[in-house]
Amino acid sequence: GAVVSQHPSWVICKSGTSVKIECRSLDFQATTMFWYRQFPKQSLMLMATSNEGSKATYEQGVEKDKFLINHASLTLSTLTVTSAHPEDSSFYICSAREIGYEQYFGPGTRLTVT
Amino acid sequence: AQKVTQAQTEISVVEKEDVTLDCVYETRDTTYYLFWYKQPPSGELVFLIRRNSFDEQNEISGRYSWNFQKSTSSFNFTITASQVVDSAVYFCALFSGGYNKLIFGAGTRLAVHP
């Protein structure tokens, strides 16, 4: 149990375009989902926290207009990188939590912006 | 403040050696959870262990063991008789209810050579 999927697993897009990443909890209802970003050889940095049906809470320094997060249902959250640029190239990881503290991580999405 | 420190950036060992990965944490909360994750080259985080602040018992799982000491705010991870498949980045993480976020250390990159 407690499986989280991400789609796509990797994506290449051109500079200036937008790309959407999906995060799904497959066998539980995720009241809270988290989006992390990881640059090469660095740790996971929390970008934002989203609760189902409400606006996401962004960490300091994360542009909310650039990284649009939607958590429209208890099993799906999406991260849209708008007007992507090469510096947005990174590994994006989502996690989902039902209640309490236990978080389950997705396999990650590798974004390359050319 | 919440903080996790993994002072060892990279460790290189020869197969069959024992290796200990250090983790020191800071929190003002009395109830908190500590985690270790493994991140192989594929990028997907693999959960290894969770410990709550009230359980200081050491744990052993096969070649893996963990030493939790509240007196020194440390949660160290030892791999006995290391194998090449243990090569990965290992993250220590902290969650407390007061902060309500999972905070990662910088990670330790372990290379096990044949």
Side-chain angles (χ1 to χ4, degrees):
Chain A
V3 178
V4 176
S5 70
Q6 276 185 248
H7 179 80
S9 54
W10 59 270
V11 58
I12 300 173
C13 70
K14 291 187 176 179
S15 188
T17 62
S18 296
V19 61
K20 181 185 285 188
I21 302 169
E22 291 186 351
C23 176
R24 293 182 186 272
S25 56
L26 300 185
D27 50 5
F28 66 100
Q29 295 189 321
T31 53
T32 307
M33 285 186 165
F34 304 86
W35 287 94
Y36 295 83
R37 183 174 182 177
Q38 185 181 30
F39 289 110
K41 296 193 175 183
Q42 292 190 22
S43 187
L44 283 75
M45 298 303 297
L46 180 64
M47 299 174 66
T49 302
S50 73
N51 293 299
E52 184 263 338
S54 60
K55 289 184 178 181
T57 301
Y58 291 80
E59 295 298 301
Q60 194 171 11
V62 177
E63 299 175 61
K64 58 180 70 174
D65 293 333
K66 181 167 189 61
F67 299 100
L68 301 180
I69 292 172
N70 184 284
H71 190 168
S73 78
L74 285 171
T75 59
L76 173 65
S77 176
T78 60
L79 167 67
T80 302
V81 183
T82 62
S83 187
H85 291 284
E87 56 266 30
D88 298 323
S89 298
S90 189
F91 191 55
Y92 292 87
I93 304 174
C94 76
S95 70
R97 186 172 77 190
E98 187 171 19
I99 57 172
Y101 59 87
E102 197 73 66
Q103 285 179 224
Y104 303 96
F105 287 86
T109 297
R110 198 165 300 280
L111 169 64
T112 301
V113 184
T114 61
Chain B
Q2 305 277 129
K3 190 177 179 181
V4 177
T5 301
Q6 293 181 256
Q8 304 149 309
T9 306
E10 295 189 20
I11 300 176
S12 181
V13 299
V14 176
E15 215 170 12
K16 297 185 183 177
E17 282 187 37
D18 298 347
V19 57
T20 295
L21 283 61
D22 298 332
C23 173
V24 174
Y25 63 92
E26 292 178 32
T27 179
R28 292 182 180 178
D29 290 334
T30 55
T31 301
Y32 52 88
Y33 299 86
L34 294 162
F35 301 80
W36 274 96
Y37 293 91
K38 174 182 181 180
Q39 188 178 42
S42 65
E44 184 163 3
L45 282 178
V46 177
F47 166 79
L48 296 178
I49 191 172
R50 173 187 66 249
R51 261 287 173 267
N52 73 54
S53 52
F54 300 106
D55 182 4
E56 282 194 77
Q57 276 194 337
N58 292 330
E59 175 142 347
I60 298 175
S61 176
R63 296 184 297 107
Y64 295 171
S65 62
W66 291 269
N67 181 268
F68 177 27
Q69 292 196 357
K70 286 178 74 171
S71 60
T72 56
S73 297
S74 65
F75 186 42
N76 296 337
F77 172 32
T78 297
I79 302 175
T80 303
S82 59
Q83 299 176 2
V84 173
V85 293
D86 296 326
S87 297
V89 180
Y90 291 86
F91 290 100
C92 180
L94 165 70
F95 178 90
S96 67
Y99 200 60
N100 204 29
K101 297 174 187 176
L102 188 63
I103 301 299
F104 286 85
T108 297
R109 184 174 300 273
L110 173 65
V112 182
H113 302 284

